[in-house]
Amino acid sequence: MLLERPIFWLGLAGLSPPQRALLTACLPAEPGSLPAWRVAKFSEADAWCVSGAAAQLTDEGHLLVPDSRRGQPDITIDFSKLDRPLAFTKPLAWDELAPLDQFDPASERAVQMTLKKFETALQGLRAQFSLGAFIRRSLPDLQPLAYHVVHRTTLLAVVDLSLRHVHYLADVSPLQLEQAVWLARQPSGDLASGTAAATAKFAQASLSEIMWQFAQRSAADVLPEQFETGAIRLRHAPRVPKAWLKESQLTLLRMLAARPTSLGELLQQNASFNRAQLGRDLAGLYFDGAIASSHVDVAWLPASGHSSRSALLG
């Protein structure tokens, strides 16, 4: 099954407006055979591109990047806490940065090669997205069971819809996931053979986290159309790490906590919202079960007793 490609979000720092425009023009804005890349707020991005000429090393070994946009504060990067891929544009002002990834922002080929490196580093995130995309597409066929995602003889993931938990190989390739079959199993709480050797290879995530990553990176509008009308109410805080919550999502949660509000009212009351990102934010909350509407059943997963057309998906 050909799976949807994700949107990855890129943070830019220290680049002049012409440099930002030049680099942005090289980004694939829409998913095709490869993921798309779009510019996002620096702190909320999946990967970072930093001006090698503007970046400065502090005495503490941190990276200080003056923002070229007027009125924006400097950005500080602590290498000891770096949790996403990073590359510098040439030239470099500090020789100490030479061992790190760098590229020519004027070369489209160099930009594409850098994005490819980023995608390799983000393979675990892409695995989560692909699993979420399959779950969303296959909802009519899924049962409240555990599914073994198998490529040939290799177990790639165990998706337990009854326990709402997922184990997956973080280095699984997109091609393997596309060619995999989903084998329905009775939930047992065990992963594969249950041996420590098997479980050590697998990363873990809740189903809410998997679907959140999918919703935030899908180019499609995956928010149920019933949310277009009627008041949306907040049922509970999202069950994902607080560090994942973007500024737009925190604003949205505050507005919904104050009172039930329709999608149209949300757009009217906050000029910083745009329909596409608001749809992603609401979709993440919907798959998490955090929001409800008079027109939408919050239980988007099949309930016990649901019959499926097949126990073999792929």
Side-chain angles (χ1 to χ4, degrees):
M1 175 186 291
L2 185 63
L3 295 177
E4 179 185 349
R5 270 52 173 175
I7 299 170
F8 286 131
W9 301 98
L10 185 66
L12 305 178
L15 301 177
S16 67
Q19 289 173 325
R20 290 175 66 93
L22 187 65
L23 195 153
T24 302
C26 295
L27 301 179
E30 297 296 333
S33 59
L34 296 172
W37 283 89
R38 299 180 188 174
V39 175
K41 184 177 178 180
F42 192 78
S43 61
E44 299 174 352
D46 298 315
W48 289 337
C49 283
V50 173
S51 168
Q56 305 169 20
L57 283 174
T58 68
D59 293 339
E60 295 79 17
H62 297 168
L63 195 69
L64 185 66
V65 188
D67 199 309
S68 59
R69 295 170 298 175
R70 183 177 300 176
Q72 297 297 315
D74 295 345
I75 294 171
T76 301
I77 298 174
D78 184 347
F79 284 110
S80 67
K81 298 179 180 178
L82 190 63
D83 59 356
R84 67 204 75 190
L86 165 69
F88 293 91
T89 61
K90 295 179 179 179
L92 299 177
W94 293 75
D95 292 338
E96 290 86 344
L97 299 177
L100 303 177
D101 285 333
Q102 51 188 289
F103 68 100
D104 179 2
S107 167
E108 184 173 356
R109 182 173 181 273
V111 171
Q112 297 302 323
M113 290 178 64
T114 299
L115 296 180
K116 188 64 177 176
K117 289 182 180 179
F118 286 167
E119 290 163 16
T120 299
L122 296 169
Q123 205 160 352
L125 184 57
R126 184 165 180 180
Q128 292 186 29
F129 173 88
S130 296
L131 290 169
F134 187 96
I135 291 170
R136 190 249 177 181
R137 180 188 293 188
S138 304
L139 278 176
D141 294 313
L142 294 177
Q143 303 179 57
L145 299 172
Y147 286 86
H148 285 200
V149 184
V150 179
H151 177 253
R152 298 178 182 173
T153 60
T154 301
L155 180 67
L156 306 181
V158 175
V159 180
D160 193 325
L161 296 183
S162 64
L163 297 179
R164 295 175 177 260
H165 203 77
V166 179
H167 293 77
Y168 63 96
L169 289 175
D171 61 351
V172 62
S173 75
L175 182 61
Q176 285 178 309
L177 285 173
E178 287 186 347
Q179 296 177 347
V181 294
W182 288 49
L183 304 173
R185 298 285 187 267
Q186 288 298 326
S188 64
D190 295 329
L191 172 64
S193 63
T195 65
T199 59
K201 299 178 182 179
F202 286 76
Q204 301 183 41
S206 69
L207 187 60
S208 289
E209 291 169 347
I210 293 290
M211 299 309 296
W212 185 276
Q213 298 289 27
F214 163 69
Q216 291 306 304
R217 290 167 178 80
S218 176
D221 186 355
V222 298
L223 181 69
E225 62 181 13
Q226 295 93 330
F227 275 101
E228 295 287 345
T229 59
I232 302 168
R233 62 181 176 87
L234 184 66
R235 299 179 66 240
H236 58 71
R239 301 185 184 96
V240 297
K242 290 183 179 180
W244 289 12
L245 297 179
K246 301 178 180 180
E247 184 177 330
S248 64
Q249 293 157 353
L250 292 172
T251 300
L252 172 61
L253 288 170
R254 286 193 293 268
M255 295 177 70
L256 293 179
R259 66 178 181 87
T261 310
S262 70
L263 189 149
E265 289 173 329
L266 290 169
L267 290 170
Q268 291 175 0
Q269 293 173 12
N270 194 305
S272 67
F273 286 160
N274 67 74
R275 175 60 182 82
Q277 186 56 50
L278 181 58
R280 293 187 189 97
D281 294 343
L282 288 170
L285 294 172
Y286 166 68
F287 287 121
D288 182 72
I291 57 173
S293 165
S294 56
H295 304 306
V296 182
D297 184 359
V298 297
W300 60 273
L301 275 177
S304 298
H306 173 84
S307 61
S308 170
R309 291 196 294 267
S310 174
L312 176 65
L313 303 175

